[in-house]
């Protein structure tokens, strides 16, 4: 399998409903909750790509373009965007979908960096 095939096969998509218990006093998703969901999707993507023990080492940049209101559905999409020797980056996008219409728009974009580690928690080479 080529690296491009592995990237495509490791793409991760998760859908979630935005319920009131995850929103702030403006009735929009807490930024920290969005970041938590993004890190989870990024971790799954990194692990599916490498099939190694992966740990988050940073969130490089997260851009909140649109508020995510309660009562919507969000789709999180994780894709490997860069592969280094012991680390890789995963780009995660959150799309908002209205529950009862076809409307869909990108709300948040972010990148997360991961390192592959061994049983002693030391960085090891990413298996490509």
């Amino acid at each position: 399998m080529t690296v491009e095939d592995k990237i495509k096969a490791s793409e991760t998509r998760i859908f979630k409903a935005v319920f009131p218990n995850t929103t702030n006093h403006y009735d929009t998703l807490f930024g920290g909750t969005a970041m938590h969901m993004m890190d989870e999707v990024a971790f799954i993507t990194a692990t599916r790509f490498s099939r190694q023990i992966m740990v988050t080492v940073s969130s490089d940049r997260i851009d909140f373009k649109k508020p995510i209101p309660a009562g919507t559905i969000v789709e999180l999409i994780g894709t490997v965007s860069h592969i280094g020797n012991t680390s890789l980056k995963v780009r995660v996008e959150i799309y908002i979908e209205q529950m009862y219409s076809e409307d869909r728009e990108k709300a948040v974009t972010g990148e997360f960096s991961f390192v592959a580690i061994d049983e002693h928690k030391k960085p090891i080479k990413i298996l490509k």
Side-chain angles (χ1 to χ4, degrees):
M1 181 180 286
T2 68
V3 172
E4 291 78 19
D5 289 340
K6 282 184 76 170
I7 289 171
K8 187 173 174 99
S10 67
E11 181 179 273
T12 303
R13 294 172 176 263
I14 293 178
F15 290 87
K16 294 192 176 274
V18 179
F19 292 111
N21 66 327
T22 61
T23 62
N24 58 29
H25 58 290
Y26 296 114
D27 209 25
T28 60
L29 188 68
F30 278 113
T33 302
M35 291 169 63
H36 171 90
M37 293 187 311
M38 292 173 80
D39 186 36
E40 183 178 350
V41 168
F43 166 77
I44 293 167
T45 304
T47 302
R48 291 179 71 211
F49 176 85
S50 69
R51 299 299 177 179
Q52 295 171 273
I53 299 170
M54 303 297 288
V55 293
T56 307
V57 293
S58 72
S59 54
D60 301 340
R61 181 183 176 114
I62 298 176
D63 293 316
F64 296 88
K65 302 287 189 188
K66 302 262 183 194
I68 301 173
T72 57
I73 297 167
V74 292
E75 180 181 18
L76 295 98
I77 304 171
T79 309
V80 173
S81 59
H82 175 79
I83 307 158
N85 290 324
T86 62
S87 65
L88 59 79
K89 289 186 180 189
V90 176
R91 179 180 179 84
V92 179
E93 298 173 325
I94 300 180
Y95 290 87
I96 306 168
E97 293 186 7
Q98 300 303 317
M99 284 199 188
Y100 307 110
S101 76
E102 300 288 328
D103 295 343
R104 177 182 166 91
E105 58 187 331
K106 190 188 302 185
V108 185
T109 303
E111 282 223 328
F112 294 79
S113 295
F114 289 83
V115 168
I117 59 171
D118 65 15
E119 64 275 2
H120 305 292
K121 300 182 179 162
K122 301 292 183 203
I124 57 173
K125 188 169 178 58
I126 296 280
L127 300 175
K128 300 175 195 173

